[in-house]
Amino acid sequence: MTTHKKPIRVMLIDCRPLVLMGLQDLINARKPQMEVSGQATTYTNALDLADQLRPNVIFFSFFPDALNPLEVVAGLTRSAEMKVLVLKGLYEAVPVAQAIEAGARGIVLAEDPTESIIQAIITVHHRDTGKDRAWAGGLSGYSATGNIHLKCNLEQAKQARLTLRERELIRAIVGDPSAKYMSIAGRLGISEHTVHNHLSNIYQKLNLINRIDLLMYALKHGLINNEKPPESTWVELDLVARRNKTI
């Protein structure tokens, strides 16, 4: 007998009709794997609609509204089944750290390739270990638990899988975060297609979602010219769950 998996139900929250239309077309083109279950143009409507629809993944944009967006993110993520992805333009001022603290599972750049956006939806939907990252500022006393040493070992093991070419690409991205992939490819003497392939491998090896996730990770762990990692900015929350997982 053929079994049919339920589609990933995605809800969109944005005040811009063109953004909503573009995301809807992108996501619905992947039916039956995923589909848009609803849209909201105000935060009040978003909270009511999410309560009715119970979507799996919510694309959330920051925009002027009567409600505080961070409080809305916190409200939406009280249910573990609803996972928020913040949609951010490269030059938009969005409180990324606070959004993660409030419960968002990741940040998606509007300028990312469509495949990266689709993959972000799939990735967060299948993560069921709670928030993947939280900013250290909201975790007072966490370093006293003894898990920091475990975190370092896990991260070192993941980073050891990176090739020299992948590390070179990471340095290029961190050196110019706003550079287009074509420009990066030209500087490295490779094709744009090869850049995308390397990035896909990097995301998989480091358990990241997209380019902004990689940027924060690289700065945190000092993946630039073998520099010493800077002071901790965020720490993993699901270390215990990962101790027995093969990296």
Side-chain angles (χ1 to χ4, degrees):
M1 181 191 302
T2 301
T3 58
H4 297 280
K5 293 183 179 179
K6 293 182 178 179
I8 302 172
R9 291 173 290 108
V10 183
M11 179 176 160
L12 311 175
I13 304 174
D14 202 296
C15 65
R16 298 163 292 186
L18 284 176
V19 172
L20 291 172
M21 184 184 302
L23 284 173
Q24 177 173 284
D25 290 346
L26 172 65
I27 293 166
N28 283 342
R30 299 306 179 104
K31 289 182 178 180
Q33 184 180 25
M34 61 183 66
E35 64 183 14
V36 173
S37 60
Q39 302 180 18
T41 57
T42 69
Y43 291 145
T44 300
N45 185 27
L47 291 169
D48 292 338
L49 195 60
D51 190 52
Q52 295 172 25
L53 301 176
R54 313 303 294 177
N56 304 120
V57 177
I58 300 174
F59 262 97
F60 186 95
S61 295
F62 280 71
F63 52 82
D65 189 88
L67 299 182
N68 184 316
L70 292 174
E71 293 179 0
V72 176
V73 170
L76 291 169
T77 55
R78 286 195 183 100
S79 171
E81 68 187 67
M82 295 194 293
K83 302 172 182 179
V84 170
L85 277 172
V86 173
L87 181 66
K88 174 192 178 303
L90 191 61
Y91 300 105
E92 288 180 343
V94 169
V96 172
Q98 293 92 326
I100 297 295
E101 283 184 339
R105 296 296 182 90
I107 312 297
V108 174
L109 286 177
E111 293 82 2
D112 275 344
T114 55
E115 279 302 320
S116 295
I117 295 175
I118 292 297
Q119 189 56 49
I121 295 173
I122 296 171
T123 299
V124 299
H125 173 61
H126 291 295
R127 283 180 179 172
D128 56 4
T129 55
K131 286 191 301 184
D132 295 284
R133 295 185 180 86
W135 297 92
L139 296 174
S140 57
Y142 185 80
S143 59
T145 65
N147 282 333
I148 295 300
H149 179 67
L150 173 61
K151 178 183 77 71
C152 292
N153 289 338
L154 286 170
E155 296 308 323
Q156 288 169 3
K158 287 196 292 186
Q159 292 165 26
R161 301 172 61 197
L162 295 171
T163 67
L164 292 176
R165 195 54 154 170
E166 288 166 352
R167 288 176 178 270
E168 185 180 11
L169 177 57
I170 291 172
R171 288 194 293 271
I173 289 175
V174 175
D176 188 359
S178 63
K180 295 185 180 298
Y181 293 115
M182 183 179 298
S183 174
I184 293 174
R187 291 206 305 270
L188 297 181
I190 57 180
S191 70
E192 187 174 357
H193 178 72
T194 301
V195 168
H196 287 298
N197 284 343
H198 282 322
L199 279 176
S200 179
N201 291 334
I202 292 169
Y203 297 155
Q204 182 179 19
K205 290 177 180 179
L206 300 181
N207 194 26
L208 304 177
I209 294 176
N210 54 22
R211 185 165 165 175
I212 195 169
D213 214 12
L214 173 60
L215 176 62
M216 291 188 291
Y217 183 96
L219 292 172
K220 157 66 178 66
H221 292 284
L223 294 181
I224 314 166
N225 299 325
N226 296 318
E227 294 175 356
K228 180 181 178 181
E231 294 183 3
S232 179
T233 308
W234 54 262
V235 296
E236 298 280 357
L237 279 183
D238 58 346
L239 297 176
V240 175
R242 294 186 183 185
R243 276 185 297 186
N244 298 320
K245 181 177 178 182
T246 301
I247 297 175

